[in-house]
């Protein structure tokens, strides 16, 4: 049996942390390796425990979850992934959290089975957001946020490393198409599409599909009306 997925739980409410711990520790492939009640402690916890995944509350006293996430990845988080915990769907901070390095988000009242499935999905490199939801969320926040700063030259040059098929794969991902839909568009197998997606992420230095979509919007590869 492979090693369990190491999870850290960060929330300023002790009852919330205890609830998540109870849910996770029932699963044989999950292990809670630490808890934190604020952003500063969360950053220190990641540095010491090196969890595979952090469940991170957005709103906390002192350093909030977004800033903590930013510091975690600025400090070199290795393979650690961060999933934000929010109270309301389409929380206004979600886009900022994804920009900071988070791999998706969950509502705090998520059903236990969905929480566990989400953790496993993110650990395997997937997103917690369905493609169509990803697109709606990215468009919503790009329209409401301050104008995006023009993409840096290194980001634009990174696009030139993609093949024509990989570039089109990125465009279709940003439009909200699933792997199955992209496969239908290209008339290839889903396995082939997964290979294209993997190469896009590798060449652009991105952790997952959500960040690929953000990259596509922020570099101007696609626009909100794409």
């Amino acid at each position: 049996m492979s090693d369990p997925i190491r999870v850290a739980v960060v929330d300023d409410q002790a009852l919330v942390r205890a609830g998540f711990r109870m849910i996770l520790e029932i699963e044989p492939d999950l292990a809670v390796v630490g808890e934190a009640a604020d952003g500063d402690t969360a950053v220190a916890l990641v540095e010491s425990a090196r969890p595979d995944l952090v469940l991170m509350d957005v709103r906390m006293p002192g350093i909030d979850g977004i800033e903590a996430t930013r510091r975690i990845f600025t400090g070199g988080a290795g393979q650690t992934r961060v999933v934000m915990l929010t109270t309301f769907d389409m929380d206004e901070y979600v886009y900022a959290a994804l920009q900071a390095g988070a791999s998706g988000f969950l509502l705090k009242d998520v059903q236990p089975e969905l929480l566990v499935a989400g953790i496993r999905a993110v650990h395997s490199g997937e997103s917690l957001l369905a493609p169509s939801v990803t697109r709606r969320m990215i468009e919503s926040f790009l329209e409401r946020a301050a104008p995006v700063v023009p993409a840096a030259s290194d980001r634009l040059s990174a696009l030139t490393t993609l093949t024509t098929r990989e570039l089109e794969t990125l465009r279709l991902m940003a439009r909200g198409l699933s792997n199955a839909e992209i496969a239908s568009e290209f008339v290839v197998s889903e396995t082939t599409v997964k290979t294209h997606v993997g190469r896009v992420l590798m060449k652009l230095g991105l952790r997952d599909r959500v960040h690929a979509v953000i990259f596509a919007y922020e570099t101007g590869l696609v626009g909100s009306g794409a």
Side-chain angles (χ1 to χ4, degrees):
M1 181 177 176
S2 59
D3 293 335
I5 301 171
R6 296 161 50 81
V7 182
V9 181
V10 181
D11 194 287
D12 62 337
Q13 298 181 50
L15 285 176
V16 172
R17 298 196 306 273
F20 280 125
R21 177 183 280 275
M22 288 178 61
I23 293 170
L24 300 180
E25 290 190 335
I26 294 174
E27 304 297 326
D29 63 332
L30 302 179
V32 177
V33 297
E35 298 179 15
D38 57 69
D40 276 322
T41 308
V43 174
L45 175 61
V46 171
E47 291 177 352
S48 61
R50 292 295 175 182
D52 298 309
L53 186 143
V54 180
L55 292 176
M56 179 80 75
D57 188 18
V58 172
R59 298 182 182 90
M60 294 182 290
I63 294 177
D64 65 14
I66 296 172
E67 180 57 27
T69 298
R70 188 175 292 110
R71 293 187 185 187
I72 285 170
F73 288 107
T74 299
Q79 297 302 309
T80 298
R81 298 176 188 273
V82 174
V83 173
M84 306 304 297
L85 299 171
T86 65
T87 305
F88 303 104
D89 194 9
M90 297 302 286
D91 188 299
E92 63 180 333
Y93 296 109
V94 170
Y95 182 68
L98 293 175
Q99 284 186 309
S103 293
F105 71 97
L106 283 169
L107 300 183
K108 286 190 179 182
D109 61 355
V110 63
Q111 293 296 314
E113 60 272 19
L114 295 181
L115 170 67
V116 171
I119 289 173
R120 290 172 179 151
V122 170
H123 181 255
S124 68
E126 299 175 20
S127 162
L128 280 180
L129 308 175
S132 59
V133 174
T134 300
R135 182 188 178 193
R136 290 199 305 272
M137 186 189 70
I138 296 299
E139 289 185 356
S140 172
F141 284 101
L142 282 177
E143 289 169 358
R144 292 166 51 189
V148 177
V149 176
S153 58
D154 59 339
R155 283 199 145 200
L156 293 175
S157 63
L159 284 175
T160 66
T161 67
L162 301 182
T163 65
T164 300
R165 180 49 61 93
E166 290 164 356
L167 198 61
E168 187 58 25
T169 298
L170 179 56
R171 284 197 181 96
L172 295 179
M173 288 166 61
R175 283 174 45 197
L177 273 67
S178 66
N179 283 354
E181 290 169 332
I182 295 174
S184 177
E185 188 89 8
F186 289 163
V187 195
V188 297
S189 69
E190 280 192 60
T191 300
T192 298
V193 172
K194 288 181 181 178
T195 299
H196 291 324
V197 171
R199 287 175 178 166
V200 168
L201 298 180
M202 179 186 68
K203 288 183 178 181
L204 299 182
L206 303 171
R207 281 184 299 280
D208 51 45
R209 193 185 194 100
V210 170
H211 291 96
V213 176
I214 292 175
F215 185 98
Y217 278 92
E218 292 188 334
T219 55
L221 181 64
V222 294
S224 60

